[in-house]
Amino acid sequence: MSIQVFGTPVSRGVAIGRAVLVASSRVDVAHYFIGIDRIESEIDRLRQARDGVAAEFGALKNELPAEAPHELAALLDVHLMLLHDESLIGATKAWISDRHYNAEWALSAQLEVLARQFDEMEDAYLRERKADVEQVVERLLRELRPSAVGAAAAGAPATQAARDFGGEDPLVLVANDVAPADMLQFKRSVFTGFVTDVGGRTSHTAIVARSMDIPAVVGAREASRLIRQDDWIVIDGDAGVVIVDPSPIVLEEYRFRQRQSELERARLDRLRHTPAVTLDGQAVELLANIELPGDAAGALEAGAVGVGLFRSEFLFMNRGGNVPGEDEQFEAYRDAVIALQGLPVTIRTVDIGADKPLERGSAQEHRYDHGLNPALGLRAIRWSLSEPGMFRQQLRAILRASAYGKVRILIPMVAHLGEVRMTFEALTRARQQLDDAGRAYSQVEVGAMVEVPAAAVMIDRFLRHFDFVSIGTNDLIQYTLAIDRADEAVAHLYDPWHPAVLQLLHHTISRANALGRAVSVCGEMAGDVAFTELLLAMGLRSFSMHPARIASIKQRVLRADTRQLAAHLEQVLDSDAPAEVLRLALQGRTWH
Ligand code: PEP
Ligand code: MG
């Protein structure tokens, strides 16, 4: 029977496919299809890993000192038995030969199946044996030596053979949580959509999903418990609904919607190179948000006139906590700058912390590991200033990239004038170091993110120091309303229409305009068509968003008349129901 699970819609569109359940801690396991000719060698790889682990367990058992508790030997016996159990190894082989999953994927798929069976057991002792299976799988995963195909897939995660392997059903990922760093693994993945139990609309996992332009629902609480490995599911990324085992009628309806959105996409695509100018002749700058230098080409293709936000922290992830060195960073920034062919690239200094931990692992796990309240803790510029050597290293790398094109530096989460002073001191020192080393660099503009209410309230003072500001509405909303943006339990209170948020936005945009400083919005509101007219009415002329959102926003800009919009602004700002007032105003009606 078909069931529905409700969550928060975070990335539009409809995905229909078979569920692949992945434990949060194993989302980074390589997922790729193998060709028919590789099935035997893949099973062989599994067999070798099994033999390797069995030999290790056997040796451990033999070396146990006589005085060791006998439970230890018994535990090793259980693990050895599991290693040869058909329900683990036999079934894993079946995932490889029937579904053409690589061995790691097959193992984690089978672990999910077994874990459920254990969870459903009445007997508490047997239920706890799940941990043994998990430990054995963990060992096997470590033991599996990468195959040539696997090595390529690890470099270009989960891309390949998916499409080569024609006739395969589309797949959607279901997990309790996916860390932002792991989302990067899905950039060109086999998955056509995903669902997670936790997360909010502007959690970084959701942001990366939007940048990939794949339908996604987060905060669907029970999803990973209710959905079973291989179930057919529909992800409705517009409504935030997941339908498990849909009836043929429902399926047909969704297939129809899928075709409609493909047509709409193709239509919008034609606007790619049309300049974004309003009906009354106001030019609007539509910039791209990117996570990695490889995204830069896509930004240009989508019609962006520059990069408004390069989230540099993604270069720092998936490296076991080690930060990339100056040369490596420089090369990444330079590649993005060259790809933009003279258009500006705004590189934000690292914004590590909160739901973007340095080390890998789910955001959920880390939320409680790193400080009591990481969103209010050592994050972004606070973290950079606490690691001055690392900060100057990043500044030098960015400055060096400025020799190759137009670079702007953006500082995240500034709240104190002391932070401003220390940032500029670090910049001066970084320039001196480059001078001493005889390295080339050019003039760069320096801007601040306005994402803490303090910065918005005292924007005039900030603007004495910075060349430009970029409003990070994701955090501005989080900090103004005291809502953890990654926490699904308070997702219903996360409200971009809140009058306090609108006032801070309006104040920041109008003061920057009055003082002749460039101002942009780079939070998710910039790519949401519900806010385009309102932001234009506030005087905003620069929007930065995922490349996939540019065409839709451009369409709204082309149809807007900023003079008419400005006339409604006061009414919207004064209202207790601003969204409704704006909607009626756009229809030429008034609200009572
Ligand atoms: C924001 O806070 O709006 C923003 C753009 O930065 P991030 O989403 O990376 O925190
Ligand atoms: Mg932010």
Side-chain angles (χ1 to χ4, degrees), residues 348 351 379 451 475 485:
R348 179 173 74 181
D351 182 4
R379 143 170 207 206
E451 43 188 357
D475 278 317
R485 61 194 260 198

Side-chain angles (χ1 to χ4, degrees), residues 11 146 204 344 352 389 571:
S11 187
H204 283 91
I352 278 298
Q571 208 193 351

Side-chain angles (χ1 to χ4, degrees), residues 321-555:
N322 299 318
V323 303
E326 178 180 328
D327 286 344
E328 188 182 338
Q329 286 189 58
F330 156 66
E331 282 162 21
Y333 305 142
R334 180 203 56 197
D335 289 353
V337 170
I338 291 175
L340 261 287
Q341 302 168 10
L343 294 171
V345 179
T346 313
I347 303 172
R348 179 173 74 181
T349 60
V350 62
D351 182 4
I352 278 298
D355 69 336
K356 284 180 289 194
L358 252 194
E359 310 96 85
R360 77 155 306 284
S362 80
Q364 191 74 355
E365 276 164 40
H366 283 277
R367 203 170 307 160
Y368 305 104
D369 282 346
H370 295 256
L372 283 177
N373 204 335
L376 301 181
L378 196 63
R379 143 170 207 206
I381 188 62
R382 302 172 182 182
W383 188 74
S384 293
L385 291 174
S386 74
E387 299 271 348
M390 192 284 309
F391 189 37
R392 282 196 303 273
Q393 173 174 291
Q394 179 169 38
L395 292 174
R396 288 195 301 272
I398 300 175
L399 286 167
R400 283 168 61 190
S402 72
Y404 294 81
K406 188 160 190 252
V407 170
R408 310 197 304 169
I409 297 181
L410 182 58
I411 310 295
M413 215 187 158
V414 198
H416 298 264
L417 289 168
E419 290 162 347
V420 178
R421 181 179 49 73
M422 285 166 79
T423 298
F424 280 97
E425 280 169 9
L427 255 171
T428 306
R429 183 99 181 81
R431 286 195 184 97
Q432 266 166 8
Q433 288 173 328
L434 290 180
D435 290 340
D436 294 347
R439 299 264 196 209
Y441 61 93
S442 302
Q443 280 285 348
V444 293
E445 290 186 349
V446 183
M449 297 273 299
V450 176
E451 43 188 357
V452 178
V457 170
M458 57 189 236
I459 188 68
D460 283 39
R461 298 228 209 151
F462 267 53
L463 288 171
R464 286 183 203 154
H465 304 277
F466 290 103
D467 300 307
F468 68 97
V469 285
S470 188
I471 309 175
T473 47
N474 308 336
D475 278 317
L476 188 61
I477 298 166
Q478 151 164 279
Y479 295 126
T480 303
L481 304 181
I483 304 297
D484 185 337
R485 61 194 260 198
D487 186 350
E488 71 285 355
V490 286
H492 60 292
L493 296 172
Y494 186 95
D495 180 14
W497 290 103
H498 192 292
V501 172
L502 300 185
Q503 274 180 35
L504 289 176
L505 265 169
H506 181 226
H507 177 66
T508 308
I509 295 167
S510 46
R511 289 309 300 152
N513 283 340
L515 294 167
R517 291 283 200 283
V519 54
S520 180
V521 170
C522 63
E524 296 301 294
M525 277 173 94
D528 186 340
V529 290
F531 298 99
T532 313
E533 286 86 0
L534 180 61
L535 292 170
L536 287 170
M538 288 181 180
L540 190 76
R541 297 293 178 266
S542 173
F543 297 62
S544 192
M545 68 205 80
H546 305 298
R549 302 294 313 141
I550 289 180
S552 304
I553 298 294
K554 192 181 284 181
Q555 188 182 44

